[in-house]
Amino acid sequence: MSTTPEDQSAASEPQQPEHAVEQQPEVAEIREPALTSSVESGNVRIRRAPKFAPFLIIGGGVGAIVTFILTMAFPVDPVVGFGALFGYFSLFGIPAGVALGALVVLILDRVSIARSRAATVEHETVEPESYEGTLE
């Protein structure tokens, strides 16, 4: 024997006790933080400036190479030797090459200042608005 409800539509719906009151849980209101933005504008000059360190290093290397070539070009004193003579003249040749590299980079820097262009820039800062009250 099977027990079937007499009303089929009532059987498909879930039955709840009549004394239970349906309550929705309170959902905290979620809101996006308001953003404040500020825009600053100004004039700048744009130029391609050379880097100093590579010019100084290359100048020192060229000074060492020129010192080596000049040391080989003249006869060497057998009492002193080639290595000591090259080391002694390197004390003058390498700083001279570094100084020439610095002179070249300073000239290129002045040329880049003359070729600079004026531009207008805008800097936009976006920050969240501060909250008032307490955190829960």
Side-chain angles (χ1 to χ4, degrees):
M1 273 189 154
S2 66
T3 57
T4 57
E6 295 176 9
D7 186 13
Q8 291 292 337
S9 64
S12 63
E13 295 177 9
Q15 296 178 353
Q16 296 180 358
E18 293 179 14
H19 64 278
V21 178
E22 191 174 309
Q23 294 181 355
Q24 293 288 335
E26 292 183 21
V27 178
E29 184 179 313
I30 299 174
R31 59 181 181 162
E32 295 293 322
L35 301 175
T36 60
S37 84
S38 62
V39 178
E40 300 172 10
S41 62
N43 294 327
V44 295
R45 299 206 51 92
I46 299 174
R47 68 184 179 109
R48 294 184 62 183
K51 295 182 185 258
F52 280 63
F55 281 91
L56 300 179
I57 292 170
I58 291 172
V62 169
I65 292 171
V66 169
T67 302
F68 182 76
I69 292 171
L70 288 176
T71 306
M72 285 181 45
F74 297 102
V76 178
D77 186 9
V79 176
V80 176
F82 179 78
L85 194 61
F86 173 67
Y88 178 73
F89 285 130
S90 293
L91 293 174
F92 299 104
I94 293 175
V98 171
L100 286 176
L103 183 65
V104 168
V105 78
L106 288 174
I107 291 170
L108 290 176
D109 190 44
R110 295 296 175 200
V111 169
S112 72
I113 289 173
R115 289 186 177 180
S116 65
R117 294 184 237 178
T120 302
V121 295
E122 292 182 357
H123 179 76
E124 181 177 10
T125 304
V126 178
E127 297 176 349
E129 213 173 71
S130 62
Y131 291 107
E132 293 181 12
T134 60
L135 296 175
E136 296 181 19

